[in-house]
Amino acid sequence: MHTALLLASTLLVLLGGSLALGILGRFPGWRRRRDLQVAVLLAPASSLAVGLGGIAHFSGRACFLGAPRWDATLAVALPLGLGAVALGGLVLGLVRHALLARVVTRGGVAAGPELVAVVERLAEGLGVRPPRVLLCTYDRPLALACALHRPTVLLSTWMVEQLDRRELEAVLAHELAHVARRDYPVVWLATVLRDAFWYLPTSWAAYRQLQHEKELACDDLAAGATGRPLALASALAKVWQGAVDGRCLGTAQLLVGAGGPVEQRITRLLAARRPTVDVGPPHAGRVVRGASTPALVGLLLVEALLVALMLAPMGCGPASSFGGLF
């Protein structure tokens, strides 16, 4: 019965996440959709909390001591095992961030004043503080925006040499859109949650959607900031052509999205007449807000009801059960 509590809680999270992703198309605006995707990724933490809290609650109680050996063993082993997996996901995320920060810092040098001036002008149009701009000597296409605290845009020399002025400006606008949307910390958190709860298919589905839609959102922002969606489409086409020819595979994925349908992005940009700008106010950087907050609150309430209903047959009243969790 104690094991069933954890399994039922996990099933509830899985079902809730599937329903949330199923109605995602009804949410207008990239920010609301991203918030809901992050909520789906964050929801399994409530199930894990129920399992870990159950260990503290049931320890020493008659209902637990009298349970079958397999039930008592699983009731302890499952939450501890899943907690260790979640901790491993966090550690992996911290190591991944540290390695990227080291590569960016050691491999990049400050960009020239002309490039910095372009970034400052674009940043002003997007309503964000100009990030640090670094160049790395690399004969492959590379452009990324990273850092949790001080945003940094890193470009390879290939980008400066192979793209014309308008194409380069469009790529810079795309990367600045990631900065404006705080995509790096959000995606970093999403990656940690995906790794922490890798056993749930909803975590992978939400992560893939978030990764794909952030590129579409930044395409729209870049097209709106420059007024030239064709320039970004041309830059994407050049990078993708290099990947198809086998010269740029790997680094090109940083620009076109890992395994993403770049053709869809180019088609959208070619058809764009009035690009959608959905960045919100400059300080709207909270990850869980809008639609995600009531979604998480609702899930926690349902979790609480589930705990109360399943503890009742074991002789544990709701008041005492919740008191033991804290």
Side-chain angles (χ1 to χ4, degrees):
M1 192 67 176
H2 304 84
T3 305
L5 176 61
L6 176 61
L7 295 179
S9 177
T10 303
L11 182 61
L12 175 63
V13 168
L14 185 61
L15 178 61
S18 299
L19 292 175
L21 294 177
I23 64 172
L24 192 63
R26 301 180 183 180
F27 283 77
W30 297 118
R31 286 184 296 120
R32 286 182 176 272
R33 294 167 64 89
R34 184 182 69 175
D35 290 342
L36 188 58
Q37 290 158 352
V38 173
V40 171
L41 287 162
L42 190 59
S46 64
S47 176
L48 180 60
V50 168
L52 294 175
I55 296 177
H57 172 71
F58 291 126
S59 298
R61 290 181 178 264
C63 65
F64 186 74
L65 297 177
R69 181 180 297 273
W70 65 266
D71 187 25
T73 302
L74 286 178
V76 174
L78 278 179
L80 291 180
L82 296 179
V85 171
L87 181 61
L90 176 60
V91 172
L92 180 61
L94 293 173
V95 171
R96 186 185 293 116
H97 169 68
L99 290 176
L100 178 60
R102 182 175 181 179
V103 169
V104 170
T105 302
R106 292 197 171 189
V109 296
E114 183 178 349
L115 197 59
V116 171
V118 174
V119 170
E120 290 178 348
R121 175 171 55 81
L122 292 171
E124 183 179 359
L126 289 170
V128 296
R129 293 181 58 185
R132 181 176 56 168
V133 185
L134 300 178
L135 283 176
C136 65
T137 304
Y138 192 47
D139 61 349
R140 296 290 186 268
L142 175 65
L144 60 91
C146 60
L148 291 175
H149 302 292
R150 184 184 179 187
T152 300
V153 172
L154 178 68
L155 289 177
S156 66
T157 51
W158 186 97
M159 303 294 292
V160 179
E161 295 169 356
Q162 300 298 324
L163 301 182
D164 63 32
R165 181 180 60 83
R166 291 188 175 184
E167 291 169 343
L168 182 60
E169 181 180 297
V171 169
L172 288 171
H174 178 92
E175 298 306 322
L176 284 172
H178 285 301
V179 175
R181 284 168 38 88
R182 277 79 170 177
D183 273 339
Y184 181 81
V186 172
V187 172
W188 179 83
L189 174 63
T191 305
V192 169
L193 293 172
R194 180 206 62 185
D195 295 339
F197 305 109
W198 60 267
Y199 48 86
L200 294 176
T202 49
S203 296
W204 290 93
Y207 182 80
R208 285 193 297 266
Q209 287 187 11
L210 187 149
Q211 283 279 30
H212 175 57
E213 292 189 358
K214 73 179 175 62
E215 298 301 329
L216 300 182
C218 289
D219 285 348
D220 290 348
L221 276 171
T226 62
R228 291 187 291 269
L230 297 183
L232 181 57
S234 177
L236 287 173
K238 284 185 178 180
V239 171
W240 186 250
Q241 183 60 47
V244 170
D245 292 343
R247 297 191 302 269
C248 310
L249 189 59
T251 55
Q253 293 177 349
L254 293 171
L255 300 173
V256 300
V262 66
E263 297 88 353
Q264 177 188 352
R265 293 176 58 190
I266 293 176
T267 301
R268 290 180 74 253
L269 289 167
L270 293 176
R273 294 184 179 180
R274 296 180 180 179
T276 301
V277 177
D278 181 24
V279 64
H283 300 290
R286 295 180 181 177
V287 174
V288 180
R289 61 175 182 250
S292 64
T293 300
L296 283 174
V297 171
L299 178 63
L300 291 176
L301 291 176
V302 175
E303 287 268 15
L305 179 61
L306 174 67
V307 171
L309 291 176
M310 296 197 71
L311 288 180
M314 292 185 275
C316 300
S320 61
S321 65
F322 295 135
L325 292 174
F326 298 97

